[in-house]
Coordinates of all heavy atoms in Angstrom, one line a residue:
G2 N 195.5 234.0 -61.8 CA 196.8 234.4 -62.4 C 197.8 233.2 -62.9 O 198.8 233.5 -63.6
M3 N 197.4 232.1 -62.5 CA 198.2 230.9 -63.1 C 199.8 231.1 -62.9 O 200.6 231.2 -63.7 CB 197.9 230.8 -64.7 CG 198.1 229.4 -65.2 SD 197.7 229.3 -66.9 CE 198.1 227.6 -67.2
R4 N 200.1 230.9 -61.6 CA 201.5 231.1 -61.2 C 202.5 230.1 -61.9 O 202.0 228.9 -61.9 CB 201.6 231.0 -59.8 CG 201.4 232.3 -59.0 CD 201.9 232.2 -57.6 NE 201.1 231.4 -56.6 CZ 201.1 231.4 -55.4 NH1 202.1 232.1 -54.9 NH2 200.3 230.7 -54.6
E5 N 203.7 230.5 -61.9 CA 204.8 229.4 -62.3 C 205.3 229.0 -61.0 O 205.2 229.6 -59.9 CB 205.8 230.1 -63.0 CG 205.4 230.5 -64.4 CD 206.6 231.1 -65.2 OE1 207.7 231.4 -64.6 OE2 206.7 231.3 -66.3
M6 N 205.9 227.7 -61.0 CA 206.3 227.0 -59.8 C 207.7 226.6 -59.8 O 208.1 225.6 -59.3 CB 205.5 225.5 -59.8 CG 204.0 225.8 -60.0 SD 203.3 226.5 -58.6 CE 201.6 226.7 -59.2
L7 N 208.6 227.5 -60.3 CA 210.1 227.3 -60.4 C 210.6 227.0 -59.0 O 211.6 226.2 -58.7 CB 210.8 228.4 -61.1 CG 212.3 228.1 -61.1 CD1 212.7 227.0 -61.9 CD2 212.9 229.5 -61.9
S8 N 210.3 227.8 -57.9 CA 210.8 227.5 -56.6 C 210.7 226.2 -56.1 O 211.6 225.6 -55.5 CB 210.3 228.7 -55.6 OG 210.6 230.0 -56.0
T9 N 209.5 225.6 -56.3 CA 209.2 224.3 -55.7 C 210.0 223.2 -56.5 O 210.7 222.4 -55.9 CB 207.9 224.0 -55.9 OG1 207.0 224.9 -55.1 CG2 207.5 222.6 -55.3
T10 N 210.0 223.4 -57.9 CA 210.8 222.3 -58.6 C 212.3 222.6 -58.4 O 213.0 221.5 -58.5 CB 210.3 222.6 -60.2 OG1 210.7 223.8 -60.5 CG2 209.0 222.4 -60.4
A11 N 212.7 223.7 -58.2 CA 214.1 223.9 -58.3 C 214.6 223.4 -56.8 O 215.7 222.9 -56.7 CB 214.4 225.4 -58.3
A12 N 213.7 223.6 -55.8 CA 214.1 223.1 -54.5 C 214.2 221.6 -54.5 O 215.1 221.0 -53.9 CB 213.1 223.5 -53.4
I13 N 213.4 220.8 -55.3 CA 213.4 219.4 -55.4 C 214.7 219.1 -56.1 O 215.4 218.1 -55.5 CB 212.2 218.8 -56.1 CG1 211.0 219.0 -55.2 CG2 212.5 217.4 -56.5 CD1 209.7 218.7 -56.0
Y14 N 215.1 219.6 -57.1 CA 216.3 219.3 -57.7 C 217.5 219.6 -56.8 O 218.5 218.9 -56.9 CB 216.5 220.0 -59.1 CG 216.1 219.2 -60.3 CD1 214.8 219.1 -60.6 CD2 217.0 218.5 -60.9 CE1 214.4 218.4 -61.7 CE2 216.8 217.5 -61.9 CZ 215.4 217.6 -62.4 OH 215.0 216.8 -63.4
G15 N 217.5 220.7 -56.1 CA 218.4 221.1 -55.3 C 218.7 220.0 -54.2 O 219.8 219.9 -53.6
Q16 N 217.6 219.3 -53.7 CA 217.8 218.3 -52.8 C 218.1 216.9 -53.5 O 218.1 215.9 -52.7 CB 216.3 218.1 -52.1 CG 215.9 219.4 -51.2 CD 214.5 219.1 -50.7 OE1 213.7 218.1 -51.0 NE2 214.0 220.2 -50.1
G17 N 218.4 216.9 -54.9 CA 218.9 215.6 -55.5 C 217.8 214.7 -55.7 O 218.1 213.6 -56.0
R18 N 216.4 215.2 -55.8 CA 215.5 214.3 -55.9 C 214.6 214.5 -57.1 O 213.3 214.1 -57.1 CB 214.5 214.3 -54.6 CG 215.4 213.9 -53.4 CD 214.5 214.0 -52.1 NE 213.8 212.8 -52.0 CZ 213.1 212.5 -50.8 NH1 213.0 213.5 -49.8 NH2 212.3 211.5 -50.8
G19 N 215.1 215.2 -58.0 CA 214.3 215.7 -59.2 C 214.0 214.6 -60.2 O 212.9 214.7 -60.8
D20 N 214.6 213.5 -60.1 CA 214.1 212.3 -61.0 C 213.2 211.2 -60.3 O 212.8 210.4 -60.9 CB 215.5 211.7 -61.5 CG 216.3 212.5 -62.3 OD1 215.7 213.4 -63.0 OD2 217.5 212.3 -62.3
S21 N 213.0 211.5 -58.9 CA 212.2 210.4 -58.4 C 210.8 210.8 -58.0 O 210.0 210.1 -57.4 CB 212.9 210.1 -57.0 OG 213.0 211.2 -56.2
V22 N 210.4 212.1 -58.3 CA 209.0 212.4 -58.2 C 208.6 213.2 -59.4 O 209.3 213.7 -60.2 CB 208.8 213.5 -57.1 CG1 209.3 212.7 -55.7 CG2 209.7 214.7 -57.1
A23 N 207.2 213.4 -59.6 CA 206.7 214.2 -60.6 C 205.8 215.2 -60.0 O 205.4 215.2 -58.7 CB 205.9 213.4 -61.5
L24 N 205.5 216.4 -60.8 CA 204.6 217.5 -60.3 C 203.5 217.6 -61.4 O 203.8 217.6 -62.6 CB 205.5 218.7 -60.0 CG 206.2 218.7 -58.8 CD1 207.7 218.2 -59.1 CD2 206.4 220.1 -58.2
I25 N 202.4 217.9 -60.9 CA 201.3 218.4 -61.8 C 200.6 219.6 -61.2 O 200.4 219.6 -59.9 CB 200.3 217.4 -62.2 CG1 199.4 216.9 -61.0 CG2 200.9 216.0 -62.8 CD1 198.2 216.0 -61.4
T26 N 200.1 220.5 -62.1 CA 199.5 221.7 -61.5 C 198.6 222.3 -62.7 O 198.8 222.1 -63.8 CB 200.5 222.8 -61.1 OG1 199.9 223.9 -60.6 CG2 201.4 223.1 -62.3
D27 N 197.5 222.9 -62.1 CA 196.6 223.7 -63.0 C 197.2 225.1 -63.4 O 196.7 225.9 -64.0 CB 195.2 223.8 -62.7 CG 195.0 224.2 -61.2 OD1 196.0 224.6 -60.7 OD2 193.9 224.1 -60.7
G28 N 198.5 225.4 -62.6 CA 199.2 226.6 -62.9 C 200.2 226.3 -64.0 O 199.9 225.4 -64.9
R29 N 201.3 227.0 -63.9 CA 202.3 226.8 -65.0 C 203.7 226.5 -64.3 O 203.9 226.7 -63.1 CB 202.5 228.1 -65.7 CG 201.3 228.6 -66.3 CD 201.5 230.0 -67.0 NE 201.8 231.0 -66.2 CZ 202.8 231.9 -66.0 NH1 203.8 231.7 -67.0 NH2 202.9 232.8 -65.2
F30 N 204.6 226.1 -65.1 CA 206.0 225.9 -64.6 C 206.9 226.9 -65.6 O 206.6 227.1 -66.7 CB 206.4 224.4 -65.0 CG 205.9 223.5 -63.9 CD1 205.0 222.6 -64.4 CD2 206.2 223.6 -62.6 CE1 204.5 221.7 -63.4 CE2 205.8 222.8 -61.6 CZ 204.7 221.7 -62.0
S31 N 207.9 227.4 -64.8 CA 208.8 228.3 -65.5 C 209.5 227.5 -66.8 O 209.7 226.4 -66.6 CB 209.9 228.8 -64.6 OG 211.0 229.4 -65.2
G32 N 210.0 228.4 -67.8 CA 210.7 227.9 -68.8 C 212.2 227.4 -68.3 O 212.7 226.5 -69.0
A33 N 212.5 227.7 -67.1 CA 213.7 227.1 -66.4 C 213.4 225.9 -65.7 O 214.4 225.2 -65.2 CB 214.2 228.2 -65.5
T34 N 212.2 225.4 -65.6 CA 211.8 224.1 -64.8 C 212.4 223.0 -65.7 O 212.3 223.0 -66.8 CB 210.4 224.1 -64.7 OG1 210.1 225.1 -63.7 CG2 210.0 222.7 -64.1
R35 N 212.9 221.9 -65.0 CA 213.3 220.7 -65.6 C 212.7 219.6 -64.8 O 212.3 219.8 -63.6 CB 214.8 220.5 -65.8 CG 215.6 220.7 -64.6 CD 217.0 220.8 -65.0 NE 217.9 221.0 -63.8 CZ 218.9 220.2 -63.5 NH1 219.2 219.1 -64.2 NH2 219.6 220.4 -62.4
G36 N 212.6 218.4 -65.3 CA 212.1 217.2 -64.7 C 210.7 217.0 -65.1 O 210.1 217.7 -66.0
F37 N 210.0 216.0 -64.4 CA 208.6 215.6 -64.9 C 207.7 216.5 -64.3 O 207.0 216.3 -63.2 CB 208.4 214.1 -64.4 CG 207.8 213.3 -65.6 CD1 208.0 212.0 -65.7 CD2 206.9 213.8 -66.4 CE1 207.5 211.2 -66.7 CE2 206.3 213.1 -67.5 CZ 206.6 211.8 -67.6
C38 N 207.4 217.7 -64.8 CA 206.6 218.7 -64.4 C 205.5 219.1 -65.4 O 205.8 219.6 -66.4 CB 207.4 220.0 -63.9 SG 208.7 219.6 -62.6
I39 N 204.3 218.7 -65.0 CA 203.2 218.9 -66.0 C 202.3 220.2 -65.6 O 201.8 220.2 -64.3 CB 202.3 217.7 -66.0 CG1 203.0 216.5 -66.6 CG2 201.0 217.9 -66.8 CD1 203.8 215.6 -65.6
G40 N 202.2 221.1 -66.4 CA 201.4 222.3 -66.1 C 200.2 222.3 -67.2 O 199.9 221.6 -67.9
H41 N 199.4 223.5 -66.9 CA 198.3 223.8 -67.7 C 197.2 222.7 -67.6 O 196.3 222.8 -68.6 CB 198.6 224.0 -69.3 CG 199.8 224.9 -69.4 ND1 200.0 225.5 -70.6 CD2 200.7 225.5 -68.5 CE1 201.0 226.3 -70.6 NE2 201.5 226.4 -69.2
V42 N 197.1 222.0 -66.6 CA 196.1 220.9 -66.4 C 194.7 221.6 -66.5 O 194.3 222.4 -65.6 CB 196.2 220.0 -65.2 CG1 195.2 219.0 -65.1 CG2 197.7 219.5 -65.3

C-alpha cells in the first residue's frame, strides 16, 4: 500500500532536528512533509 510517513517526519521537525537528518523510503511522504525526505525509491 505504499504508506505516507508524515508522522515520522513531523516528529523529527517537532524535535527541532529537521535540517540535520535525511529520510529515504520505498513508501511515500505526505504532501505536508518538509525537509530532505525522498520517497518512491
Side-chain angles (χ1 to χ4, degrees):
M3 203 179 182
R4 279 194 285 186
E5 290 182 350
M6 311 291 174
L7 178 59
S8 293
T9 303
T10 60
I13 291 170
Y14 260 89
Q16 293 172 3
R18 304 177 76 176
D20 295 326
S21 62
V22 297
L24 290 90
I25 68 168
T26 182
D27 51 9
R29 300 179 293 127
F30 286 112
S31 166
T34 292
R35 57 192 178 121
F37 226 146
C38 300
I39 293 95
H41 306 195
V42 174

